[in-house]
Amino acid sequence: MLRRVRGRKVVLIGIGFSLLATFVLSKMLGMHVGLSSHRRDFRPSINTLNAKIIANVKTFPRNSLNESEAGAAVELQEERRGNLKSACVKAKKAGKRFDNRGRPLFYNDDYNFMYCAIPKVAATSWKRVLLVLQGETDSIDNLFHKEVQHRYRYPTTRGLTYEEQKLRFSMYKTFLFVREPFHRILSAYRDKFEPQTQKPFKRYAAYILKANGKPITTQSLNLVTFAEFVQYLIHPVTTYTSMDMHWKPMHVLCDVCNIDYHFVGKFETLQEDASNFLRLVKASDVVSFPNYENDAHVTNSSSSDIYNKYYSTVPHNSLVRLYKKYELDFLLFGYPIPDILATVERS
Protein backbone atom coordinates (compact mmCIF):
# COMPACT_ATOMS: atom_id res chain seq x y z
CA MET A 1 0.00 0.00 0.00
CA LEU A 2 2.80 2.41 0.95
CA ARG A 3 4.53 1.76 -2.35
CA ARG A 4 1.29 2.49 -4.25
CA VAL A 5 0.84 5.82 -2.45
CA ARG A 6 4.41 6.79 -3.11
CA GLY A 7 4.01 5.71 -6.72
CA ARG A 8 0.92 7.90 -7.07
CA LYS A 9 2.76 10.87 -5.53
CA VAL A 10 5.59 10.44 -8.00
CA VAL A 11 3.12 10.28 -10.90
CA LEU A 12 1.22 13.36 -9.65
CA ILE A 13 4.45 15.31 -9.16
CA GLY A 14 5.54 14.28 -12.65
CA ILE A 15 2.24 15.42 -14.15
CA GLY A 16 2.53 18.69 -12.23
CA PHE A 17 6.00 19.42 -13.60
CA SER A 18 4.82 18.46 -17.08
CA LEU A 19 1.85 20.85 -16.90
CA LEU A 20 4.07 23.63 -15.54
CA ALA A 21 6.58 23.14 -18.35
CA THR A 22 3.77 23.14 -20.93
CA PHE A 23 2.32 26.34 -19.46
CA VAL A 24 5.68 28.14 -19.48
CA LEU A 25 6.42 26.98 -23.02
CA SER A 26 2.99 28.05 -24.27
CA LYS A 27 3.48 31.48 -22.72
CA MET A 28 6.85 31.86 -24.40
CA LEU A 29 5.45 30.73 -27.73
CA GLY A 30 2.41 32.91 -27.26
CA MET A 31 4.57 35.97 -26.73
CA HIS A 32 6.59 35.11 -29.80
CA VAL A 33 3.54 34.58 -31.99
CA GLY A 34 2.00 37.78 -30.68
CA LEU A 35 4.99 39.85 -31.67
CA SER A 36 5.31 38.34 -35.12
CA SER A 37 1.62 38.42 -36.03
CA HIS A 38 0.76 41.72 -34.33
CA ARG A 39 -1.77 39.98 -32.05
CA ARG A 40 -1.30 40.33 -28.31
CA ASP A 41 -3.38 39.64 -25.23
CA PHE A 42 -4.63 43.07 -24.14
CA ARG A 43 -6.46 41.95 -21.01
CA PRO A 44 -4.55 42.09 -17.71
CA SER A 45 -6.17 40.48 -14.69
CA ILE A 46 -8.84 42.57 -13.00
CA ASN A 47 -6.68 43.00 -9.88
CA THR A 48 -3.67 44.09 -11.92
CA LEU A 49 -5.86 46.48 -13.88
CA ASN A 50 -7.35 47.94 -10.70
CA ALA A 51 -3.92 48.69 -9.29
CA LYS A 52 -2.70 50.11 -12.60
CA ILE A 53 -5.69 52.40 -13.05
CA ILE A 54 -5.54 53.68 -9.47
CA ALA A 55 -1.82 54.42 -9.85
CA ASN A 56 -2.41 56.26 -13.11
CA VAL A 57 -5.40 58.22 -11.89
CA LYS A 58 -3.40 59.59 -8.95
CA THR A 59 -1.21 61.45 -11.44
CA PHE A 60 -3.86 61.86 -14.12
CA PRO A 61 -7.02 63.50 -12.74
CA ARG A 62 -10.11 62.78 -14.81
CA ASN A 63 -10.75 66.43 -15.62
CA SER A 64 -7.13 67.41 -16.24
CA LEU A 65 -7.83 69.43 -19.39
CA ASN A 66 -7.40 73.00 -18.18
CA GLU A 67 -6.77 76.42 -19.63
CA SER A 68 -3.01 76.22 -19.24
CA GLU A 69 -2.95 73.05 -21.38
CA ALA A 70 -5.59 73.68 -23.99
CA GLY A 71 -6.91 77.20 -23.52
CA ALA A 72 -10.14 77.80 -25.37
CA ALA A 73 -10.57 74.04 -25.86
CA VAL A 74 -12.07 73.87 -22.37
CA GLU A 75 -14.97 76.17 -23.20
CA LEU A 76 -15.42 74.49 -26.58
CA GLN A 77 -15.73 71.05 -25.00
CA GLU A 78 -18.13 72.33 -22.37
CA GLU A 79 -20.27 73.80 -25.14
CA ARG A 80 -20.25 70.64 -27.27
CA ARG A 81 -20.92 68.30 -24.36
CA GLY A 82 -23.61 70.60 -23.00
CA ASN A 83 -25.34 70.73 -26.38
CA LEU A 84 -25.15 66.95 -26.67
CA LYS A 85 -26.67 66.36 -23.23
CA SER A 86 -29.47 68.89 -23.64
CA ALA A 87 -30.34 67.57 -27.12
CA CYS A 88 -30.47 64.03 -25.73
CA VAL A 89 -32.84 65.13 -22.96
CA LYS A 90 -35.05 66.92 -25.48
CA ALA A 91 -35.11 63.91 -27.80
CA LYS A 92 -36.05 61.55 -24.97
CA LYS A 93 -38.85 63.87 -23.85
CA ALA A 94 -40.13 63.85 -27.43
CA GLY A 95 -40.37 60.05 -27.26
CA LYS A 96 -37.12 59.04 -28.95
CA ARG A 97 -35.74 55.76 -27.63
CA PHE A 98 -32.04 54.97 -27.36
CA ASP A 99 -31.53 51.23 -27.02
CA ASN A 100 -27.89 50.85 -25.90
CA ARG A 101 -26.84 49.26 -29.16
CA GLY A 102 -23.73 51.22 -29.99
CA ARG A 103 -20.62 49.59 -31.42
CA PRO A 104 -17.79 48.38 -29.15
CA LEU A 105 -15.29 51.05 -28.07
CA PHE A 106 -11.55 50.81 -28.49
CA TYR A 107 -9.60 51.21 -25.26
CA ASN A 108 -6.04 51.79 -24.09
CA ASP A 109 -4.94 50.82 -20.58
CA ASP A 110 -1.68 52.78 -20.70
CA TYR A 111 -3.25 56.16 -21.46
CA ASN A 112 -6.65 55.54 -19.88
CA PHE A 113 -9.04 56.29 -22.72
CA MET A 114 -11.88 54.72 -24.71
CA TYR A 115 -12.66 55.69 -28.30
CA CYS A 116 -15.78 55.24 -30.42
CA ALA A 117 -14.62 55.10 -34.03
CA ILE A 118 -17.04 56.47 -36.62
CA PRO A 119 -16.30 55.47 -40.24
CA LYS A 120 -15.64 58.42 -42.56
CA VAL A 121 -14.49 60.60 -39.64
CA ALA A 122 -10.73 59.97 -39.73
CA ALA A 123 -11.15 56.60 -38.01
CA THR A 124 -8.18 55.07 -39.86
CA SER A 125 -5.96 57.99 -38.81
CA TRP A 126 -6.96 57.38 -35.19
CA LYS A 127 -6.15 53.70 -35.58
CA ARG A 128 -2.64 54.69 -36.66
CA VAL A 129 -2.34 56.65 -33.42
CA LEU A 130 -3.67 53.68 -31.44
CA LEU A 131 -1.02 51.41 -32.93
CA VAL A 132 1.75 53.68 -31.65
CA LEU A 133 0.18 53.96 -28.19
CA GLN A 134 -0.29 50.17 -28.06
CA GLY A 135 3.39 49.70 -28.75
CA GLU A 136 2.82 47.96 -32.10
CA THR A 137 4.95 50.49 -33.98
CA ASP A 138 7.17 53.46 -33.22
CA SER A 139 5.76 55.70 -35.93
CA ILE A 140 2.58 56.36 -37.90
CA ASP A 141 4.66 56.72 -41.07
CA ASN A 142 4.34 54.06 -43.76
CA LEU A 143 1.21 52.50 -42.26
CA PHE A 144 -0.99 51.86 -45.26
CA HIS A 145 -4.78 52.01 -45.10
CA LYS A 146 -5.44 48.30 -45.70
CA GLU A 147 -2.67 47.33 -43.31
CA VAL A 148 -4.11 49.48 -40.54
CA GLN A 149 -7.62 48.13 -41.12
CA HIS A 150 -6.88 44.43 -41.49
CA ARG A 151 -3.42 43.46 -40.24
CA TYR A 152 -3.56 44.60 -36.65
CA ARG A 153 -5.79 43.84 -33.71
CA TYR A 154 -7.19 46.57 -31.47
CA PRO A 155 -8.57 45.87 -27.98
CA THR A 156 -12.28 46.66 -27.73
CA THR A 157 -14.96 46.45 -25.07
CA ARG A 158 -16.43 43.47 -26.94
CA GLY A 159 -13.75 41.29 -25.35
CA LEU A 160 -14.30 42.54 -21.80
CA THR A 161 -16.51 41.26 -19.01
CA TYR A 162 -19.18 43.52 -17.59
CA GLU A 163 -16.99 44.31 -14.57
CA GLU A 164 -14.00 45.13 -16.77
CA GLN A 165 -16.11 47.46 -18.89
CA LYS A 166 -17.65 49.12 -15.85
CA LEU A 167 -14.23 49.79 -14.34
CA ARG A 168 -12.93 51.46 -17.47
CA PHE A 169 -16.07 53.54 -18.04
CA SER A 170 -15.82 54.81 -14.46
CA MET A 171 -12.22 56.04 -14.78
CA TYR A 172 -11.22 56.44 -18.43
CA LYS A 173 -11.65 59.37 -20.79
CA THR A 174 -14.22 58.56 -23.47
CA PHE A 175 -14.07 60.36 -26.79
CA LEU A 176 -15.42 60.39 -30.33
CA PHE A 177 -15.07 62.48 -33.48
CA VAL A 178 -18.09 63.51 -35.56
CA ARG A 179 -18.67 65.12 -38.95
CA GLU A 180 -21.32 67.19 -40.72
CA PRO A 181 -23.82 64.45 -41.67
CA PHE A 182 -24.33 65.33 -45.34
CA HIS A 183 -20.56 65.50 -45.88
CA ARG A 184 -20.13 62.12 -44.23
CA ILE A 185 -22.86 60.55 -46.41
CA LEU A 186 -21.18 61.86 -49.56
CA SER A 187 -17.79 60.59 -48.37
CA ALA A 188 -19.25 57.11 -47.83
CA TYR A 189 -20.76 57.08 -51.31
CA ARG A 190 -17.58 58.24 -53.05
CA ASP A 191 -15.43 55.80 -51.10
CA LYS A 192 -17.59 52.69 -51.59
CA PHE A 193 -19.31 53.22 -54.95
CA GLU A 194 -16.83 55.20 -57.06
CA PRO A 195 -15.30 54.77 -59.56
CA GLN A 196 -17.10 51.44 -59.26
CA THR A 197 -18.72 49.55 -56.42
CA GLN A 198 -16.28 47.84 -54.07
CA LYS A 199 -16.84 44.09 -53.90
CA PRO A 200 -18.05 43.98 -50.26
CA PHE A 201 -20.70 46.59 -51.14
CA LYS A 202 -22.20 44.85 -54.17
CA ARG A 203 -25.13 43.68 -52.05
CA TYR A 204 -25.85 47.27 -51.01
CA ALA A 205 -25.67 48.29 -54.65
CA ALA A 206 -28.39 45.71 -55.30
CA TYR A 207 -30.52 47.19 -52.49
CA ILE A 208 -30.01 50.66 -53.94
CA LEU A 209 -31.03 49.62 -57.45
CA LYS A 210 -34.08 47.82 -56.08
CA ALA A 211 -35.12 50.91 -54.07
CA ASN A 212 -34.94 52.91 -57.31
CA GLY A 213 -36.81 50.34 -59.41
CA LYS A 214 -33.73 49.65 -61.53
CA PRO A 215 -32.72 46.28 -63.01
CA ILE A 216 -29.85 44.51 -61.25
CA THR A 217 -27.11 43.52 -63.69
CA THR A 218 -23.35 43.11 -63.51
CA GLN A 219 -22.99 46.50 -65.16
CA SER A 220 -25.64 48.36 -63.15
CA LEU A 221 -24.10 47.20 -59.85
CA ASN A 222 -21.09 49.37 -60.74
CA LEU A 223 -23.08 52.40 -61.91
CA VAL A 224 -24.96 53.47 -58.79
CA THR A 225 -25.46 57.25 -58.80
CA PHE A 226 -25.40 59.49 -55.75
CA ALA A 227 -29.07 60.42 -56.26
CA GLU A 228 -29.92 56.70 -56.24
CA PHE A 229 -27.89 56.22 -53.08
CA VAL A 230 -29.86 58.99 -51.36
CA GLN A 231 -33.13 57.48 -52.54
CA TYR A 232 -32.09 54.20 -50.91
CA LEU A 233 -31.21 55.96 -47.64
CA ILE A 234 -34.59 57.67 -47.38
CA HIS A 235 -36.58 54.60 -48.43
CA PRO A 236 -38.90 53.37 -45.62
CA VAL A 237 -37.37 49.88 -45.77
CA THR A 238 -33.91 51.28 -44.96
CA THR A 239 -33.79 51.28 -41.16
CA TYR A 240 -30.91 52.26 -38.92
CA THR A 241 -30.44 48.58 -38.09
CA SER A 242 -30.09 47.59 -41.75
CA MET A 243 -27.61 50.36 -42.58
CA ASP A 244 -23.91 49.73 -43.06
CA MET A 245 -21.73 51.44 -40.45
CA HIS A 246 -20.25 53.79 -43.06
CA TRP A 247 -23.57 55.64 -43.37
CA LYS A 248 -25.37 54.62 -40.19
CA PRO A 249 -26.15 57.74 -38.09
CA MET A 250 -23.35 58.68 -35.73
CA HIS A 251 -25.54 58.90 -32.65
CA VAL A 252 -26.59 55.28 -33.20
CA LEU A 253 -23.05 54.01 -33.72
CA CYS A 254 -21.73 55.57 -30.53
CA ASP A 255 -24.87 55.44 -28.36
CA VAL A 256 -24.23 59.05 -27.38
CA CYS A 257 -27.34 59.48 -25.26
CA ASN A 258 -26.39 56.58 -22.99
CA ILE A 259 -22.61 57.07 -22.80
CA ASP A 260 -21.12 60.16 -21.18
CA TYR A 261 -18.39 61.24 -23.61
CA HIS A 262 -15.76 63.49 -22.05
CA PHE A 263 -14.42 64.79 -25.36
CA VAL A 264 -16.33 65.49 -28.59
CA GLY A 265 -14.03 66.22 -31.50
CA LYS A 266 -15.12 67.38 -34.94
CA PHE A 267 -13.82 66.57 -38.39
CA GLU A 268 -14.07 70.25 -39.31
CA THR A 269 -11.44 71.09 -36.65
CA LEU A 270 -9.72 67.71 -36.80
CA GLN A 271 -6.05 68.60 -36.34
CA GLU A 272 -6.66 71.03 -33.50
CA ASP A 273 -9.11 68.79 -31.65
CA ALA A 274 -6.96 65.68 -32.07
CA SER A 275 -3.90 67.49 -30.73
CA ASN A 276 -5.90 68.73 -27.75
CA PHE A 277 -7.10 65.24 -26.92
CA LEU A 278 -3.61 63.77 -27.13
CA ARG A 279 -2.45 66.47 -24.72
CA LEU A 280 -5.37 65.64 -22.47
CA VAL A 281 -4.28 62.00 -22.11
CA LYS A 282 -0.60 62.96 -21.94
CA ALA A 283 0.28 61.23 -25.19
CA SER A 284 1.30 64.25 -27.27
CA ASP A 285 4.99 63.60 -26.61
CA VAL A 286 4.62 60.04 -27.88
CA VAL A 287 2.67 60.54 -31.10
CA SER A 288 1.25 63.34 -33.24
CA PHE A 289 -2.00 63.03 -35.11
CA PRO A 290 -1.30 62.39 -38.82
CA ASN A 291 -1.93 65.10 -41.36
CA TYR A 292 -5.26 64.02 -42.78
CA GLU A 293 -4.79 66.03 -45.97
CA ASN A 294 -1.91 63.73 -46.95
CA ASP A 295 -4.00 60.55 -46.65
CA ALA A 296 -4.38 58.99 -50.09
CA HIS A 297 -7.74 57.58 -49.03
CA VAL A 298 -9.32 61.01 -48.56
CA THR A 299 -12.41 61.65 -50.75
CA ASN A 300 -12.39 65.48 -50.35
CA SER A 301 -16.15 65.29 -49.83
CA SER A 302 -16.09 68.39 -47.63
CA SER A 303 -14.93 70.51 -50.57
CA SER A 304 -17.76 72.92 -51.42
CA ASP A 305 -17.35 72.34 -55.17
CA ILE A 306 -17.51 68.56 -54.86
CA TYR A 307 -20.33 68.76 -52.32
CA ASN A 308 -22.47 71.01 -54.52
CA LYS A 309 -21.76 68.93 -57.62
CA TYR A 310 -23.24 65.78 -56.06
CA TYR A 311 -26.07 67.24 -54.00
CA SER A 312 -27.31 69.29 -56.95
CA THR A 313 -28.32 65.99 -58.57
CA VAL A 314 -30.75 65.16 -55.74
CA PRO A 315 -34.35 66.47 -55.86
CA HIS A 316 -35.21 68.97 -53.13
CA ASN A 317 -37.92 66.81 -51.57
CA SER A 318 -35.44 63.93 -51.30
CA LEU A 319 -32.94 66.22 -49.56
CA VAL A 320 -35.63 67.22 -47.05
CA ARG A 321 -36.34 63.57 -46.29
CA LEU A 322 -32.61 62.85 -46.02
CA TYR A 323 -32.23 65.64 -43.46
CA LYS A 324 -35.16 64.28 -41.46
CA LYS A 325 -33.58 60.81 -41.40
CA TYR A 326 -30.30 62.20 -40.05
CA GLU A 327 -31.77 65.10 -38.12
CA LEU A 328 -30.66 63.83 -34.71
CA ASP A 329 -27.03 63.84 -35.86
CA PHE A 330 -27.41 67.51 -36.78
CA LEU A 331 -29.10 68.39 -33.49
CA LEU A 332 -26.97 66.35 -31.10
CA PHE A 333 -23.64 67.51 -32.51
CA GLY A 334 -24.57 71.13 -33.12
CA TYR A 335 -24.57 71.24 -36.90
CA PRO A 336 -26.83 73.80 -38.64
CA ILE A 337 -29.32 72.93 -41.33
CA PRO A 338 -27.41 72.70 -44.66
CA ASP A 339 -27.62 75.82 -46.82
CA ILE A 340 -29.26 73.79 -49.58
CA LEU A 341 -32.16 73.22 -47.15
CA ALA A 342 -32.37 76.57 -45.42
CA THR A 343 -36.17 76.49 -45.54
CA VAL A 344 -36.49 73.26 -43.51
CA GLU A 345 -37.88 73.58 -39.99
CA ARG A 346 -36.24 71.61 -37.22
CA SER A 347 -38.15 69.24 -35.00
Side-chain angles (χ1 to χ4, degrees), residues 22 29 58 60-61 69 90 109 139 176 209 212 221 229 237 253-254 267 269 273 275 291 298 305 313 335 342:
T22 302
L29 289 173
K58 286 180 179 178
F60 178 44
E69 292 176 311
K90 184 177 180 181
D109 287 333
S139 171
L176 78 165
L209 292 170
N212 285 271
L221 287 173
F229 179 57
V237 76
L253 284 172
C254 292
F267 185 84
T269 49
D273 288 350
S275 296
N291 188 336
V298 171
D305 290 340
T313 66
Y335 287 106

Side-chain angles (χ1 to χ4, degrees), residues 189 193 197 201-233 235 237-238 247:
Y189 167 77
F193 299 102
T197 305
F201 291 86
K202 295 285 188 182
R203 66 187 181 99
Y204 285 105
Y207 299 154
I208 293 168
L209 292 170
K210 185 176 180 180
N212 285 271
K214 297 289 185 69
I216 300 173
T217 66
T218 302
Q219 184 179 17
S220 65
L221 287 173
N222 289 314
L223 297 174
V224 171
T225 68
F226 182 63
E228 291 169 345
F229 179 57
V230 170
Q231 185 61 37
Y232 155 74
L233 292 178
H235 196 283
V237 76
T238 306
W247 50 82

Side-chain angles (χ1 to χ4, degrees), residues 11 41 53 65 70 80 101 104 113 117 141 160 162 173 184 203 218 258 292-293 298 307 316 326:
V11 170
D41 182 8
I53 292 177
L65 185 63
R80 288 176 181 174
R101 293 182 181 177
F113 65 76
D141 298 332
L160 299 176
Y162 172 77
K173 300 282 188 199
R184 178 171 172 259
R203 66 187 181 99
T218 302
N258 289 312
Y292 191 77
E293 298 297 329
V298 171
Y307 176 85
H316 187 269
Y326 287 83

Side-chain angles (χ1 to χ4, degrees), residues 42-111:
F42 293 96
R43 290 178 54 186
S45 70
I46 194 71
N47 291 332
T48 301
L49 181 61
N50 265 314
K52 184 176 183 180
I53 292 177
I54 291 171
N56 284 346
V57 169
K58 286 180 179 178
T59 58
F60 178 44
R62 196 171 172 194
N63 296 314
S64 62
L65 185 63
N66 54 52
E67 291 185 1
S68 63
E69 292 176 311
V74 179
E75 291 184 13
L76 183 61
Q77 283 306 309
E78 289 178 351
E79 178 184 334
R80 288 176 181 174
R81 295 180 68 230
N83 180 81
L84 178 56
K85 289 181 178 180
S86 62
C88 283
V89 170
K90 184 177 180 181
K92 289 177 180 178
K93 286 183 178 179
K96 173 66 178 176
R97 294 182 60 183
F98 300 94
D99 298 325
N100 295 287
R101 293 182 181 177
R103 65 185 317 206
L105 273 64
F106 296 102
Y107 68 87
N108 184 289
D109 287 333
D110 292 316
Y111 293 90

